[in-house]
Amino acid sequence: MRSIVYNDIDLSEWCSAEVIEKIALPVVPETMVVPGRAGALLVSGRIPPRLVRVRLFIDAGYKPGTNGLADIRHRVYSALCSTAGGTLRLPDEPEFEYRDAVCTDAGAWSSLFEDGLGEVVFTLLDPVAYGRARSETGTAFEVGGSWPTWPTFELVASAGSAVQVGCGSSFARVEHAFSGGEAVRIGCEGEGVTVDGIDARVEVTLASDFFSLSPGRCELSFSGCSAHVTAFHERWL
């Protein structure tokens, strides 16, 4: 992989790329003043969007000529100009994908000829990368990555009044008059639940907690279902 891939458009047809700067992920602290204490008390923190600077080199692999170079530049402009943002893959980590990425700044081309290069800046509104997609049918497995990930559960209900999936003290429970064989989908990230494709969020019990899976050993519990699949992406900070 010699260039970036943005919104499924591979720029390697026109440019090679080099990631020249990834700003480390700073933490924005949430603090409170405590009487008699110097400074402030750290209450919590959040990770802001991440900036990634990329240098693009015009590198078509042939001599495109003046008109061809103009065509290349306009194709690059079009590929990078997405007001809705999109996914981004970088040449130094081709197995990872960033979502909600927006090209927010760009410098000038150093030249309008074959040796032209320029810099662009992407703002990663979701700064944690998505890695390998995983699908597990067991109840115990290792979760890779370095950041918690939101799972999706696909269950086949048994006849009964509820299905439930849990991890430690957290669980998601759907109470419904199941006749058996219904397809139940529980998406923890968006807190969405369907039964045979029909929205069933109103049937989620109030005590339910849509949980994430932390990196390392994971042990899940299932009840009220005859089969289950756990799907997730490994997340990397």
Side-chain angles (χ1 to χ4, degrees):
M1 183 173 173
R2 73 190 196 104
S3 192
I4 62 173
V5 179
Y6 186 50
N7 274 339
D8 295 324
I9 300 176
D10 189 346
L11 270 68
S12 62
E13 182 180 350
W14 315 299
C15 300
S16 58
E18 176 186 13
V19 180
I20 60 172
E21 180 182 359
K22 288 183 183 176
I23 297 179
L25 294 181
V27 173
V28 177
E30 303 289 342
T31 63
M32 64 179 296
V33 176
V34 177
R37 177 189 176 110
L41 177 67
L42 179 64
V43 176
S44 63
R46 64 178 179 84
I47 299 176
R50 181 181 186 180
L51 300 182
V52 174
R53 191 178 304 273
V54 178
R55 182 173 292 156
L56 296 176
F57 303 83
I58 294 178
D59 186 7
Y62 62 93
K63 291 187 178 297
T66 302
N67 291 335
L69 287 169
D71 180 70
I72 287 173
R73 292 195 300 272
H74 284 283
R75 290 184 182 276
V76 171
Y77 301 155
S78 177
L80 297 180
C81 187
S82 173
T83 57
T87 59
L88 175 67
R89 291 184 180 271
L90 300 169
D92 63 333
E93 45 184 25
E95 300 302 317
F96 294 161
E97 177 181 88
Y98 292 94
R99 301 179 183 177
D100 299 325
V102 183
C103 181
T104 53
D105 196 12
W109 291 109
S110 64
S111 167
L112 299 183
F113 299 103
E114 284 89 348
D115 60 348
L117 62 91
E119 294 181 6
V120 294
V121 177
F122 288 93
T123 298
L124 309 180
L125 300 177
D126 183 349
V128 185
Y130 288 77
R132 185 165 56 112
R134 298 275 302 279
S135 182
E136 300 287 344
T137 57
T139 58
F141 48 85
E142 292 288 327
V143 178
S146 60
W147 193 258
T149 183
W150 294 104
T152 297
F153 302 102
E154 303 280 355
L155 315 174
V156 178
S158 301
S161 60
V163 298
Q164 179 174 307
V165 55
C167 181
S169 60
S170 299
F171 65 88
R173 181 179 179 86
V174 182
E175 294 187 344
H176 178 89
F178 293 106
S179 59
E182 293 92 341
V184 181
R185 185 180 190 275
I186 301 174
C188 289
E189 182 172 18
E191 300 187 356
V193 176
T194 60
V195 176
D196 284 340
I198 300 173
D199 191 337
R201 285 174 293 180
V202 296
E203 297 180 304
V204 178
T205 62
L206 293 177
S208 293
D209 179 19
F210 292 92
F211 53 87
S212 61
L213 304 179
S214 297
R217 186 68 174 174
C218 172
E219 295 188 5
L220 302 174
S221 60
F222 296 87
S223 62
C225 60
S226 59
H228 49 78
V229 176
T230 303
F232 60 93
H233 280 83
E234 296 176 350
R235 301 294 306 275
W236 293 88
L237 190 61

